[in-house]
Amino acid sequence: MTDTRPDTPLMPQSSRNLPDFKKSVKLKYVKLGYHYLITHGMYLFLSPLVVLIFAQLSTFSLQDIYDLWEHLQYNLVSVILCSALLVFLSTLYFMTRPRPVYLVNFSCYKPEESHKCTKRIFMDHSRMAGSFSDENLEFQRKILERSGLGDSTYLPEAVLNIPPNPSMKEARKEAAAVMFGAIDELFAKTFVKPKDIGILIVNCSLFNPTPSLSAMIVNQYKLRGNIKSYNLGGMGCSAGLISIDLAKDLLQAHPNSYALIISMENITLNWYFGNDRSKLVSNCLFRMGGAAILLSNKSCDKRRSKYRLVTTVRTNKAADDKCFSCVTQEEDANGKIGVTLSKDLMAVAGDALKTNITTLGPLVLPTSEQLLFFTTLVGKKLFKMKIKPYIPDFKLAFEHFCIHAGGRAVLDELEKNLQLSSWHMEPSRMTLYRFGNTSSSSLWYELAYTEAKGRIKKGDRMWQIAFGSGFKCNSAVWKALKTINVAKEKSPWMDEIDQFPVDVPRVSAI
């Protein structure tokens, strides 16, 4: 079940043709040598110095060591002061350093088979709903055929009923199924008791009832009375990483704590029954799903945790009017509520991504890549050289990528701009195909896919990146603390992982 990266050899089409020097194997090794030299430059520079020091120390006789000890005995004040300073600095370091945040485990909700919705069922139900014009039914069919979704995604009962019966009661029913299903599995995996949870964060963008979703969880599991609970709403598909960032900050202030995060979206009350095409796209992409994540700052949890949080980077472009209004929940001309997706969405997402990776790059990229980027930037800006900006190779910083499965167009653009391979994009594309756009929880379905494929090795680094209304682009970087044993994993993928990856045609006729 273990997956290996594809490695296509460079074979000339004809022995008479000149070799492509840009793809030359020798040039490839020159670049690898450059990266190795720069990345390990400090060690290569210090190694001769360390050798000289040890060579000098090896010449010391016992008499020399005794004379040094005698000298220190008559400088007791200096020894005491130096020792006190060393103790003080060590204490200060251990008191002020950030507490490591561990991802103990996570779980993704898999709805029951009765919620499964093929593309044909989707079109049949849309037609029988009686609220869509023939032109807009055809529009939805075309979107669905090109969406990258398969025939095994899930919708809530209220939407699948004929006629649909969205209501507050049905929306709470969907929320309870998703949240409690994911949390039950997480508690079973980690053996953590509900009373042990000190921090609770729930993010759901479009469904915010009273009592809140976090209150529903506290009531269901009888969590303790002094729990720090938060309910994030209206923050879009990137809210899952905002929750991670919030939990990270809270875990710095509360030692020996567990943080439980639930990332989800609610479909029942947010299905659009109008004929505004800019609002119909979300019907074709969004599907039922959710995830529960357990974080810890306890040192004793390091051995059993899967990952350590390296860093988070948040980018918020809401100050720009075009960015602010590109994803908006509003009424159409007939008063029906839906989510409008602007035509500027891809351009806005690209701008937010650029800002985000500019901040993230210096934190994760090897020195060799940073030097190349800085050199081309200086040449272009300072010396007015006509050269293309250097795009850093993030594959040198990360082994795995979890990119929010917002839609095929988003994934295509990111694959091209970040120069990723189909192997790197596979978790995102297969998640979109199998589960659809599950909003903020899609990143966790993607990580679960990577685990189920046996790809996670100890020391591997992974980049989670998501986009959301507002407009926001957020990143989280994790480092694997152990090699994931596929035989011990339980996730929505495990029963069918051997069927993936599948070929997803550009157009899948219904």
Side-chain angles (χ1 to χ4, degrees):
M1 193 175 292
T2 301
D3 236 18
T4 56
R5 295 177 177 81
D7 187 15
T8 305
L10 298 169
M11 296 293 293
Q13 295 179 352
S14 170
S15 59
R16 296 181 180 180
N17 294 337
L18 290 173
D20 186 346
F21 294 105
K22 292 184 179 180
K23 296 182 180 180
S24 168
V25 175
K26 293 182 180 180
L27 187 61
K28 171 186 174 182
Y29 285 116
V30 168
K31 186 175 181 181
L32 287 175
Y34 162 75
H35 286 301
Y36 185 86
L37 178 64
I38 298 298
T39 303
H40 299 88
M42 184 62 70
Y43 301 105
L44 295 174
F45 174 76
L46 291 177
S47 295
L49 185 62
V50 172
V51 171
L52 287 174
I53 292 173
F54 274 101
Q56 184 65 33
L57 290 175
S58 66
T59 62
F60 276 34
S61 64
L62 291 176
Q63 183 62 39
D64 293 330
I65 297 174
Y66 179 77
D67 291 341
L68 181 61
W69 171 251
E70 286 289 321
H71 177 72
L72 290 175
Q73 279 186 321
Y74 295 106
N75 290 274
L76 185 60
V77 176
S78 300
V79 173
I80 292 175
L81 288 175
C82 290
S83 300
L85 181 62
L86 182 62
V87 171
F88 172 75
L89 292 176
S90 300
T91 304
L92 185 65
Y93 168 74
F94 284 107
M95 292 290 290
T96 59
R97 67 172 181 169
R99 302 178 192 275
V101 175
Y102 304 113
L103 194 163
V104 180
N105 214 325
F106 67 96
S107 62
C108 299
Y109 175 67
K110 187 176 185 179
E112 297 176 357
E113 288 296 304
S114 59
H115 292 285
K116 190 167 285 189
C117 178
T118 65
K119 290 188 288 253
R120 181 174 293 279
I121 290 175
F122 177 93
M123 290 306 304
D124 290 342
H125 279 62
S126 296
R127 189 174 295 105
M128 287 185 284
S131 58
F132 304 111
S133 66
D134 290 341
E135 293 80 6
N136 281 330
L137 284 171
E138 179 65 16
F139 173 75
Q140 290 184 79
R141 183 185 66 80
K142 289 182 178 179
I143 293 293
L144 202 59
E145 289 178 342
R146 294 160 175 79
S147 65
L149 273 68
D151 281 328
S152 298
T153 59
Y154 303 93
L155 285 174
E157 182 179 343
V159 175
L160 290 174
N161 285 338
I162 303 176
N165 61 325
S167 64
M168 180 63 73
K169 179 181 178 181
E170 288 296 323
R172 284 185 176 275
K173 181 178 176 182
E174 179 194 349
V178 174
M179 294 191 304
F180 302 158
I183 295 172
D184 287 344
E185 183 179 309
L186 182 63
F187 282 160
K189 284 181 176 181
T190 60
F191 304 104
V192 170
K193 299 177 182 178
K195 292 290 185 182
D196 294 334
I197 303 299
I199 299 167
L200 172 65
I201 303 173
V202 182
N203 66 266
C204 183
S205 186
L206 298 177
F207 181 56
N208 294 285
T210 300
S212 66
L213 297 174
S214 59
M216 289 174 61
I217 295 173
V218 173
N219 177 261
Q220 171 73 13
Y221 295 96
K222 310 304 176 189
L223 303 183
R224 63 199 201 197
N226 64 344
I227 191 169
K228 307 292 186 296
S229 64
Y230 300 84
N231 209 92
L232 306 183
M235 304 193 81
C237 300
S238 68
L241 297 185
I242 295 176
S243 297
I244 295 292
D245 184 68
L246 175 59
K248 177 192 72 173
D249 292 342
L250 291 169
L251 287 171
Q252 299 306 312
H254 300 280
N256 297 314
S257 296
Y258 284 115
L260 174 62
I261 298 171
I262 291 82
S263 289
M264 58 169 291
E265 194 50 81
N266 192 281
I267 306 295
T268 298
L269 284 181
N270 296 291
W271 198 256
Y272 177 62
F273 291 98
N275 283 283
D276 185 339
R277 291 193 174 185
S278 64
K279 297 178 176 62
L280 284 171
V281 175
S282 59
N283 281 11
C284 300
L285 297 178
F286 282 89
R287 294 295 184 267
M288 188 179 181
I293 305 99
L294 184 67
L295 302 182
S296 171
N297 60 8
K298 301 182 180 183
S299 57
C300 61
D301 280 324
K302 180 178 180 180
R303 293 186 63 184
R304 70 175 185 135
S305 296
K306 286 185 171 181
Y307 309 98
R308 177 178 62 83
L309 181 61
V310 177
T311 189
T312 54
V313 173
R314 292 173 56 179
T315 300
N316 195 319
K317 309 289 286 186
D320 183 283
D321 291 340
K322 187 171 71 172
C323 297
F324 173 76
S325 58
C326 71
V327 181
T328 309
Q329 186 182 25
E330 58 187 3
E331 292 114 342
D332 64 11
N334 297 315
K336 295 181 179 179
I337 298 176
V339 177
T340 301
L341 302 180
S342 167
K343 293 180 179 179
D344 297 323
L345 180 59
M346 293 303 298
V348 167
D351 183 54
L353 173 66
K354 180 181 177 182
T355 304
N356 189 270
I357 64 176
T358 300
T359 306
L360 179 68
L363 301 176
V364 297
L365 285 169
T367 308
S368 55
E369 284 295 287
Q370 295 188 47
L371 280 175
L372 287 173
F373 176 78
F374 179 74
T375 303
T376 55
L377 184 66
V378 169
K380 186 176 179 66
K381 299 293 184 182
L382 193 60
F383 298 103
K384 307 300 181 182
M385 297 172 63
K386 295 182 179 180
I387 55 176
K388 292 182 178 180
Y390 180 74
I391 300 175
D393 187 359
F394 279 91
K395 296 188 293 294
L396 294 172
F398 307 110
E399 283 74 32
H400 310 286
F401 296 80
C402 295
I403 300 169
H404 168 53
R408 168 177 262 163
V410 175
L411 298 180
D412 288 346
E413 283 300 311
L414 284 171
E415 179 179 359
K416 181 177 68 175
N417 290 327
L418 295 177
Q419 300 176 352
L420 302 178
S421 68
S422 58
W423 187 89
H424 293 110
M425 297 299 298
E426 185 182 311
S428 299
R429 294 194 185 279
M430 293 304 101
T431 295
L432 181 65
Y433 177 85
R434 177 62 181 84
F435 293 98
N437 182 347
T438 59
S439 189
S440 57
S441 66
S442 68
L443 299 173
W444 302 102
Y445 286 90
E446 293 164 17
L447 184 54
Y449 178 92
T450 308
E451 290 184 349
K453 278 293 184 180
R455 296 179 178 179
I456 303 294
K457 310 300 179 186
K458 184 177 180 179
D460 280 1
R461 300 151 298 175
M462 64 209 64
W463 179 17
Q464 291 181 319
I465 184 166
F467 304 91
S469 58
F471 193 84
K472 295 177 285 293
C473 177
N474 301 317
S475 293
V477 178
W478 303 89
K479 185 173 183 179
L481 297 176
K482 60 183 177 182
T483 298
I484 301 300
N485 186 348
V486 178
K488 296 182 179 180
E489 285 303 304
K490 182 180 180 182
S491 78
W493 296 98
M494 294 311 300
D495 294 337
E496 52 191 281
I497 192 61
D498 292 335
Q499 302 171 21
F500 294 93
V502 298
D503 178 54
V504 184
R506 301 301 300 179
V507 179
S508 178
I510 301 174

